[in-house]
Amino acid sequence: MLIGINCLLDAIKYADHSYNIDLITRAFEFAKDCHSCQKRLSGEPYIIHPINVALILINLGMDTNSVVAGLLHDVIEDTKVSKDDISEKFGADIALLVDGVTKLSNVPLYTKEEQHVENIRKMLLAMSKDIRVIVIKLADRLHNMRTALAWSEQKRRDKSLETMEIYAPLAQRLGMRTIKEELEDIALKYLDPVAYEEITQMLQKQELNNSIYLNNETYIEYIEQKVFNKIKNIASNAKINGRLKSHYGIYRKIYINGKDWEEVFDIYAIRVIVNTVSECYNVLGAMHEIFTPIPNRFKDYISTPKPNMYQSLHTTVIGTGGIPFEIQIRTFDMHYIAEYGIAAHWKYKQGVQSDGLEKRLSWIRRIIELQQESDTAEDFMQSIKTDIGSEEVFVFTPNGEVKTLPVGSTIIDFAYSIHSEVGNKMIGGKINGRIAPIETKIKTNQVIEIITTKSANHGPSRNWLKIVKTSEAKHKIKSWFKKEKRAENIQEGMTEIKREFARNNINLTENELQVFLDSIAHRNKFNSIDDFYAAIGYGGIVVSKIMPPIKDAYSKYKNVPTAPRQNQSARSFSNSSGVTVEGIEHCLVNLAKCCNPIPGNSIIGFITRGNGVTVHKTICPNILNTQKDITQLDKFIPVHWTNSPNNKYISSLKILAQNQDNIVAKVTSELANLNITINELNAKFLKNNNVSIVFSIWISHISQLKSITQKLKKITGIISIDS
Ligand code: MN
């Protein structure tokens, strides 16, 4: 093996705080055993990956438990080990960390996108409880990206895009510059290889040009020497290092902001690290003596740190040969935080959670809270991307309180960031004491004042949804309309659906329409058609976006050759779930889509936040998993089937058959004979001349499933039937 425990022990030797070597060795042995039969796509033994993740964590200065969790991070996902096993062997803290980076399996959702979103949501939730989860996740992603060549091109692009949109911004938010820049540069290489290569070439050319002025030194070495000579007497022990800016940093300026290569001032950055804050300002003065500063390029992040804790003085100057470069000046402490961000916390505090940390992480909590109200997966991803990825402006309330908002935020966003009532009752706004239109974009250092009305009838305008930038404001505006204007929303939703249906040639009788809409509402997780209309009305659902699946459903609905639909009243798709919750009347009940419980199954309820009670089979893997978590136990509640034979439930049938004699048609017509309505059908022709057919059908009781199975088994060519 190329790489083993010795790498870790070596790294620990040079780390500047102590590690529990026993525990780390034990975790290494355990992970090695667990992954022993697995190989990476590159063909190397799998254990190489966890070792590298652990190494990254040691280099970041993370604590023993994070390093152990790094070694174990893939065992739950990839092997038979459970969270309990880890808890038993390594303690609850480590088990929580490992679980936090483990993807959800069996997510009860329709699309890959939705599953993906659920996983991101889970990760954010876990990280709001313990920030080490995200540091481990970032280390995992970093090593995967470093070895991305082994992936297929498609996977490389998918992962690179996700890295660019989620993980690099997260690293940025946490102030982890080294990781952020490496992630961005690797992702860029795969997303835009041409531009990446172009930048490499341009940098080389520039470097060559610049060295014309010099003898035998690179430009950076030359400047470093010049800086050193100037400051050696005012800052003893100063460390000076120069570097080229990252590929992605340059890419952003040229390809995204459309600047010319000449305008990209600072491809070089010189960093001067000193002992004290006063030395920082002295060095700044000295730099402005020997180089000409470019106006308006000086930034003092020491007196006003960035929200991710970054502190430094920045100035851009013109150096020898008219070549501009940036100088960053900071103390050693600031430097460590600038490079490792949140990870610096463990280096200094050894894992003690401080108030400052809590405050810095409050944005994660805010995102998560807001996201629980997201209406669609797409919605959620969009707001994550805006909330994590945006640059920020700092503005003040009239009382001098600072508010941080994404660049592009308006006065309306500001109002909602104070309180939803301030936003809802807003009639105007002032910037630095002057009245300004409320859609005005706010800028750093402005004092913003909101003018509100006491009138009880006043509320936001629907147009604001198109103006605001933050997802916080969007959600708050939507929820106002959701609450205050239900009747109006339903009306509006209904009109819009009618219009869209007409446009798409969806023709149904009034009865059919009810049945059809009821199933659409259910598919979109609404309890009734009215809820569905209302969501369209307040803008939670955009009709044009859900039309493609509706059109599919419509053609299936019209084409199913079977189903004596006339006999089936709308009742049979009744939105009443046929389940009562013990002790609670009129409770919102959803049937879980992961296990599709059917009358006759033994069931249990799970209280979800804001979404009533979800009913699962007691043997549903998701339930069995959740029951292991004692903090979740109070969310379980007994539920019972009511006797409602008219209710229909979605169930699935998986049929494997020989591909002969029009087998699919035979099965569908047999289902028709049995009066079974097909909700969805997927046939896949396999290479061995078999066909796999998955039906989703409406039935009313588990016993029906048995009789269907018996009937279908009599068809020649059927190999197996699973439900
Ligand atoms: Mn991994």
Side-chain angles (χ1 to χ4, degrees):
M1 191 180 287
L2 299 161
I3 170 171
I5 183 78
N6 288 336
C7 297
L8 292 179
L9 298 181
D10 269 355
I12 287 171
K13 240 184 261 164
Y14 294 103
D16 51 10
H17 64 83
S18 58
Y19 282 95
N20 180 340
I21 290 179
D22 270 2
L23 192 65
I24 290 174
T25 313
R26 213 149 54 74
F28 166 76
E29 294 297 341
F30 183 75
K32 201 172 85 177
D33 283 352
C34 290
H35 294 297
S36 63
C37 351
Q38 252 180 306
K39 290 226 183 310
R40 303 200 79 209
L41 282 177
S42 61
E44 299 161 306
Y46 195 84
I47 188 68
I48 299 228
H49 169 61
I51 290 177
N52 273 288
V53 171
L55 270 176
I56 294 171
L57 292 166
I58 292 172
N59 289 334
L60 284 172
M62 296 300 290
D63 64 339
T64 294
N65 283 4
S66 305
V67 174
V68 168
L71 282 168
L72 302 175
H73 82 270
D74 274 333
V75 298
I76 297 186
E77 203 169 304
D78 294 349
T79 75
K80 289 202 174 96
V81 176
S82 71
K83 184 180 168 190
D84 287 347
D85 297 336
I86 293 189
S87 183
E88 217 168 89
K89 289 195 168 67
F90 299 98
D93 185 49
I94 289 169
L96 269 178
L97 292 177
V98 177
D99 185 56
V101 294
T102 300
K103 279 202 208 111
L104 296 161
S105 54
N106 298 321
V107 193
L109 295 160
Y110 292 117
T111 63
K112 253 199 139 137
E113 169 81 347
E114 283 176 312
Q115 293 193 1
H116 180 66
V117 168
E118 277 313 309
N119 277 316
I120 302 256
R121 209 196 286 254
K122 180 192 168 190
M123 184 184 79
L124 287 172
L125 214 70
M127 88 187 240
S128 75
K129 290 183 197 134
D130 194 328
I131 197 69
R132 289 174 299 173
V133 166
I134 198 65
V135 180
I136 297 164
K137 188 75 200 166
L138 286 171
D140 177 30
R141 175 54 60 108
L142 180 58
H143 183 245
N144 282 333
M145 290 302 286
R146 279 178 184 169
T147 53
L149 266 182
W151 287 336
S152 68
E153 178 166 349
Q154 186 58 48
K155 184 166 181 189
R156 261 194 323 254
R157 295 189 129 262
D158 290 350
K159 294 277 177 188
S160 296
L161 194 61
E162 188 187 58
T163 299
M164 210 54 120
E165 290 185 333
I166 301 207
Y167 292 98
L170 268 177
Q172 151 90 19
R173 274 288 188 136
L174 300 176
M176 305 174 75
R177 191 196 65 83
T178 54
I179 290 196
K180 173 199 158 237
E181 282 187 359
E182 194 178 343
L183 285 176
E184 282 173 346
D185 278 6
I186 302 172
L188 178 65
K189 194 163 82 189
Y190 296 127
L191 288 172
D192 194 344
V194 176
Y196 187 89
E197 184 51 35
E198 217 171 276
I199 292 170
T200 309
Q201 303 249 335
M202 284 197 281
L203 283 174
Q204 272 165 9
K205 211 174 113 202
Q206 196 93 345
E207 185 66 24
L208 215 66
N209 271 344
N210 294 344
S211 56
I212 292 171
Y213 304 101
L214 318 164
N215 17 351
N216 263 336
E217 278 176 314
T218 65
Y219 190 71
I220 288 178
E221 285 165 351
Y222 171 79
I223 294 291
E224 279 174 1
Q225 193 55 46
K226 201 165 171 184
V227 171
F228 174 78
N229 291 338
K230 177 72 186 172
I231 65 170
K232 59 183 177 218
N233 296 325
I234 51 174
S236 52
N237 297 325
K239 222 179 105 190
I240 301 160
N241 60 55
R243 61 182 190 109
L244 281 173
K245 290 225 156 162
S246 75
H247 275 60
Y248 185 67
I250 295 167
Y251 180 86
R252 261 206 351 198
K253 288 185 178 147
I254 294 182
Y255 295 84
I256 300 179
N257 300 338
K259 292 195 173 160
D260 283 338
W261 186 246
E262 287 73 33
E263 290 177 81
V264 178
F265 281 132
D266 35 10
I267 62 163
Y268 299 108
I270 300 281
R271 208 171 271 150
V272 184
I273 307 162
V274 296
N275 287 324
T276 64
V277 172
S278 62
E279 279 175 0
C280 289
Y281 289 98
N282 289 341
V283 168
L284 178 75
M287 291 300 100
H288 285 173
E289 272 170 40
I290 51 171
F291 304 113
T292 315
I294 295 176
N296 298 325
R297 298 274 300 178
F298 169 66
K299 290 183 200 115
D300 183 349
Y301 295 117
I302 291 183
S303 59
T304 318
K306 288 194 190 179
N308 65 10
M309 322 184 252
Y310 180 86
Q311 285 189 292
S312 214
L313 298 175
H314 286 193
T315 180
T316 305
V317 299
I318 310 276
T320 315
I323 297 156
F325 56 91
E326 185 180 69
I327 306 176
Q328 303 173 346
I329 307 161
R330 54 178 89 135
T331 66
F332 285 96
D333 285 358
M334 292 172 192
H335 179 62
Y336 197 83
I337 287 171
E339 296 290 277
Y340 302 114
I342 207 92
H345 181 77
W346 277 273
K347 191 181 171 82
Y348 291 131
K349 300 262 168 100
Q350 297 266 332
V352 183
Q353 302 259 324
S354 72
D355 289 354
L357 185 71
E358 280 298 299
K359 212 171 166 190
R360 279 176 212 119
L361 295 177
S362 60
W363 58 271
I364 302 174
R365 270 180 211 110
R366 210 177 62 217
I367 290 176
I368 293 163
E369 259 162 40
L370 290 171
Q371 293 338 308
Q372 308 216 325
E373 291 158 25
S374 281
D375 293 293
T376 61
E378 203 183 325
D379 224 29
F380 174 74
M381 283 319 274
Q382 208 41 57
S383 27
I384 287 276
K385 285 170 200 163
T386 333
D387 283 352
I388 300 181
S390 302
E391 307 255 338
E392 292 168 314
V393 291
F394 314 95
V395 289
F396 298 93
T397 67
N399 301 330
E401 195 191 328
V402 187
K403 288 270 166 197
T404 313
L405 290 156
V407 167
S409 295
T410 62
I411 297 183
I412 310 176
D413 290 287
F414 176 83
Y416 278 101
S417 78
I418 298 175
H419 196 278
S420 33
E421 273 309 289
V422 176
N424 291 338
K425 296 273 173 264
M426 171 170 59
I427 49 172
K430 286 182 184 172
I431 295 181
N432 297 336
R434 283 165 189 245
I435 296 276
I438 54 174
E439 65 270 18
T440 310
K441 293 196 169 113
I442 54 179
K443 298 200 183 97
T444 290
N445 282 336
Q446 288 175 335
V447 179
I448 317 283
E449 191 181 334
I450 301 297
I451 307 161
T452 56
T453 170
K454 290 207 167 70
S455 151
N457 299 325
H458 190 84
S461 143
R462 278 185 209 272
N463 276 338
W464 293 2
L465 284 173
K466 295 182 194 123
I467 298 167
V468 294
K469 166 91 178 172
T470 56
S471 53
E472 181 172 18
K474 261 187 208 134
H475 279 284
K476 286 178 175 171
I477 295 167
K478 280 187 201 166
S479 56
W480 188 86
F481 279 104
K482 204 172 179 173
K483 263 211 321 263
E484 303 289 325
K485 301 278 174 189
R486 185 169 158 90
E488 205 174 279
N489 288 334
I490 293 176
Q491 201 52 45
E492 200 152 310
M494 198 185 297
T495 317
E496 211 171 322
I497 279 285
K498 288 220 167 109
R499 192 169 51 224
E500 280 295 310
F501 275 24
R503 255 174 38 145
N504 287 286
N505 288 323
I506 296 182
N507 297 309
L508 294 163
T509 65
E510 194 52 37
N511 262 349
E512 283 177 327
L513 186 69
Q514 289 306 310
V515 177
F516 182 66
L517 280 176
D518 202 61
S519 79
I520 298 290
H522 268 97
R523 272 196 81 113
N524 286 286
K525 298 177 189 155
F526 292 99
N527 229 34
S528 70
I529 301 178
D530 276 358
D531 286 353
F532 176 63
Y533 282 151
I536 296 169
Y538 71 77
I541 281 203
V542 179
V543 179
S544 59
K545 284 193 182 150
I546 55 166
M547 273 321 280
I550 288 183
K551 281 197 280 187
D552 281 357
Y554 175 71
S555 49
K556 268 178 203 152
Y557 186 82
K558 278 286 178 186
N559 286 341
V560 176
T562 63
R565 203 171 288 116
Q566 304 82 329
N567 307 343
Q568 241 158 10
S569 67
R571 264 297 287 138
S572 58
F573 291 98
S574 150
N575 59 34
S576 127
S577 59
V579 173
T580 53
V581 178
E582 214 170 276
I584 308 177
E585 264 178 89
H586 307 300
C587 177
L588 182 58
V589 172
N590 292 301
L591 298 179
K593 300 207 174 63
C594 47
C595 52
N596 289 322
I598 294 164
N601 288 139
S602 134
I603 48 174
I604 186 155
F606 185 76
I607 303 168
T608 62
R609 189 170 152 157
N611 207 13
V613 168
T614 306
V615 175
H616 293 259
K617 289 182 188 170
T618 45
I619 54 161
C620 170
N622 288 330
I623 286 301
L624 296 175
N625 250 330
T626 314
Q627 278 168 339
K628 288 177 192 156
D629 184 350
I630 44 165
T631 62
Q632 302 282 311
L633 286 185
D634 56 344
K635 295 194 183 141
F636 287 97
I637 185 164
V639 290
H640 308 284
W641 293 109
T642 52
N643 192 9
S644 35
N646 286 333
N647 275 3
K648 297 274 177 181
Y649 301 84
I650 292 262
S651 178
S652 65
L653 274 185
K654 287 176 217 115
I655 297 174
L656 185 66
Q658 288 159 359
N659 181 18
Q660 57 180 32
D661 305 334
N662 224 349
I663 188 85
V664 181
K666 274 190 189 167
V667 175
T668 24
S669 75
E670 184 61 43
L671 287 172
N673 289 337
L674 292 164
N675 272 353
I676 300 298
T677 307
I678 301 169
N679 177 54
E680 213 175 315
L681 181 166
N682 265 308
K684 205 166 123 201
F685 297 93
L686 308 173
K687 283 190 183 129
N688 57 9
N689 207 32
N690 285 345
V691 56
S692 140
I693 321 167
V694 180
F695 284 97
S696 133
I697 51 173
W698 295 95
I699 61 167
S700 51
H701 194 270
I702 189 86
S703 55
Q704 214 177 348
L705 210 50
K706 284 175 191 149
S707 66
I708 294 169
T709 311
Q710 276 166 6
K711 284 263 163 54
L712 292 180
K713 271 196 176 148
K714 291 185 184 140
I715 301 174
T716 26
I718 299 269
I719 300 166
S720 70
I721 303 176
D722 278 315
S723 55

